[in-house]
Amino acid sequence: MAIASGSHIGIIGGGQLGRMLAMAAARIGYKTMILDPAEGSPAFEVADKHIVAKYDDPEALKQLAEACFVITYEFENVDVSAVEALESRLPCRPGSNALATSQDRLVEKTFFNDLGIETAPFKDISSRDDLVNALDEFGGKGILKTRRLGYDGKGQVRVNRDDKASIEEAVDLAENTSCILEGFVPFEREVSVIAARSPSGKIAIFDLAENIHKDGILFSSTIPAQATEATQNNARTIADKVLRSLEYVGILAIEFFLLEDGSLLVNEFAPRVHNSGHWTEAACTVSQFEQHIRAITDQPLGNPDRHSNCVMQNLLGDDVNQAPRILEMPQTMLHLYGKEEARDGRKMGHFTKISPIKAD
Ligand code: AMP
């Protein structure tokens, strides 16, 4: 049953994603209550209520559960046991199973392979011997990644059998933190898909985006992606399979490596709205943010078709100073996150330039 209009949605995390979720919620008649430990979090200024406390603070979570009809999150490293405790009181969407799967790269990759979905080859690594053997198996090149808490390329070492320094750096990381080594994928492009599932199992999938990363951080997304119809269908089939198998509710993002022969390897998934889906707010009638709110409140999902081609670009750090110039660009939507300090590499905003698709 749909959650009544005017009810509160609890959002764990008050960054730009929480902010855009709160704005979308307000537009379709819901109020939001945001939990974040940082005073002045970007989402606070657009939400009805907020709590300044740690994400796993039991008192704060109790307050959230009492005031809200559903809980969601803007990041995947929410404490799983805290969410499990909340789940016994009210719907948490997506559920703790999706969070637990996405928080550990070993569990995540095993989950995909068990569903018959291909990933880069990977091995659990805890010693120099593990690393050397896995490197031999993967042709001498790989990326060592921490199993937990890595994002935007953090907690990663590019390793080459012939580069001693890279091996030492990797051994140092692997001996101190649980890691996996992934074989190096000679991909042609990186693409991602954003998909939603409702509590009753309805699924809506946005078009494939082609992403460029710089220093491990998303720089731009271009839609349509340069990919054949068969590849696009494959991405949709994979998204559909993942959503169903997790009995997922809400928006999910899957990032892929696209190989020269058109095949896809999954890199990772995020159980939340995603930077590579920001284009949907300018090029579709229902954005990923509104779609997530619709899904978690059990309202009808919106049509994910796009009315325009587009390019979304992030504004990192000082890039935000380009805002006045962007406001002069035709057919361009600017979105700033209300962050005061433009630190290097910090996501300050984004803009999306659309090219409407002409109806015949
Ligand atoms: P991740 O944090 O796993 O999303 O990795 C950050 C970026 O590193 C990706 O967007 C890719 O550009 C690159 N990368 C990650 N894993 C691999 C891999 N196995 N082979 C080649 N490049 C990779």
Side-chain angles (χ1 to χ4, degrees):
M1 211 176 57
I3 292 176
S5 177
S7 303
H8 278 88
I9 297 169
I11 303 179
I12 303 179
Q16 66 268 18
L17 300 179
R19 177 182 170 102
M20 291 186 269
L21 285 170
M23 290 165 77
R27 277 191 29 237
I28 61 167
Y30 291 101
K31 296 189 186 323
T32 47
M33 186 184 237
I34 314 275
L35 169 64
D36 198 288
E39 293 278 1
S41 290
F44 290 176
E45 69 178 9
V46 297
D48 182 51
K49 294 196 169 79
H50 67 261
I51 308 170
V52 179
K54 293 214 312 231
Y55 301 122
D56 58 355
D57 182 299
E59 197 45 48
L61 291 170
K62 187 163 159 260
Q63 225 180 309
L64 211 58
E66 279 166 4
C68 300
F69 286 77
V70 60
I71 304 274
T72 192
Y73 350 86
E74 63 146 22
F75 68 105
E76 56 271 46
N77 290 315
V78 177
D79 186 62
V80 171
S81 55
V83 174
E84 281 168 349
L86 283 172
E87 269 172 335
S88 60
R89 303 185 55 172
L90 78 169
C92 294
R93 294 169 171 163
S96 56
N97 60 335
L99 276 179
T101 308
S102 71
Q103 282 180 1
D104 181 329
R105 289 187 193 271
L106 183 64
V107 174
E108 181 185 21
K109 290 203 155 52
T110 307
F111 160 77
F112 278 115
N113 290 176
D114 287 350
L115 284 178
I117 298 167
E118 286 187 64
T119 59
F122 62 94
K123 279 266 174 346
D124 195 7
I125 305 288
S126 52
S127 67
R128 182 182 295 270
D129 278 355
D130 290 346
L131 181 75
V132 170
N133 293 337
L135 270 177
D136 279 343
E137 198 174 313
F138 301 158
K141 275 167 82 177
I143 302 194
L144 188 82
K145 300 182 179 180
T146 55
R147 282 175 56 177
R148 293 179 164 273
L149 297 174
Y151 68 98
D152 284 348
K154 293 189 173 68
Q156 301 191 4
V157 181
R158 290 181 178 234
V159 207
N160 189 322
R161 195 167 40 193
D162 304 323
D163 175 359
K164 274 200 146 175
S166 74
I167 297 204
E168 293 314 314
E169 195 186 339
V171 169
D172 194 46
L173 182 61
E175 283 179 347
N176 289 298
T177 322
S178 301
C179 288
I180 59 165
L181 183 78
E182 286 181 27
F184 192 83
V185 178
F187 59 80
E188 190 154 84
R189 305 172 193 288
E190 290 187 85
V191 294
S192 62
V193 74
I194 309 287
R197 183 174 175 276
S198 70
S200 62
K202 297 222 165 48
I203 286 177
I205 304 177
F206 290 104
D207 290 332
L208 201 64
E210 180 169 336
N211 304 317
I212 294 177
H213 294 88
K214 289 190 180 170
D215 300 326
I217 303 177
L218 184 69
F219 171 71
S220 67
S221 300
T222 301
I223 296 86
Q226 292 184 63
T228 61
E229 201 47 45
T231 298
Q232 309 217 20
N233 284 337
N234 189 16
R236 281 188 207 109
T237 305
I238 291 171
D240 190 272
K241 221 182 216 181
V242 173
L243 288 168
R244 283 177 206 280
S245 78
L246 291 169
E247 293 183 19
Y248 194 91
V249 177
I251 284 275
L252 167 129
I254 306 180
E255 294 185 86
F256 302 93
F257 300 127
L258 172 55
L259 307 187
E260 204 182 353
D261 65 0
S263 60
L264 292 170
L265 298 181
V266 168
N267 178 21
E268 59 187 357
F269 84 95
R272 56 171 169 81
V273 287
H274 194 259
N275 197 168
S276 71
H278 289 2
W279 64 274
T280 56
E281 68 178 348
C284 303
T285 39
V286 174
S287 72
Q288 63 164 346
F289 306 103
E290 181 175 328
Q291 193 77 301
H292 185 72
I293 299 295
R294 286 180 179 227
I296 67 171
T297 56
D298 204 3
Q299 296 287 1
L301 294 183
N303 180 341
D305 291 348
R306 69 178 198 281
H307 52 70
S308 299
N309 296 334
C310 64
V311 179
M312 185 289 308
Q313 200 177 308
N314 272 338
L315 296 169
L316 303 177
D318 287 344
D319 292 350
V320 72
N321 298 334
Q322 295 170 27
R325 184 183 64 79
I326 294 163
L327 287 173
E328 289 184 356
M329 285 164 51
Q331 297 190 306
T332 302
M333 181 179 185
L334 174 68
H335 199 140
L336 300 180
Y337 307 149
K339 297 180 183 176
E340 279 174 17
E341 208 189 328
R343 288 194 298 272
D344 242 18
R346 191 176 195 206
K347 289 176 178 169
M348 301 298 293
H350 65 270
F351 65 99
T352 307
K353 184 162 176 33
I354 62 165
S355 311
I357 303 166
K358 306 241 175 9
D360 293 328

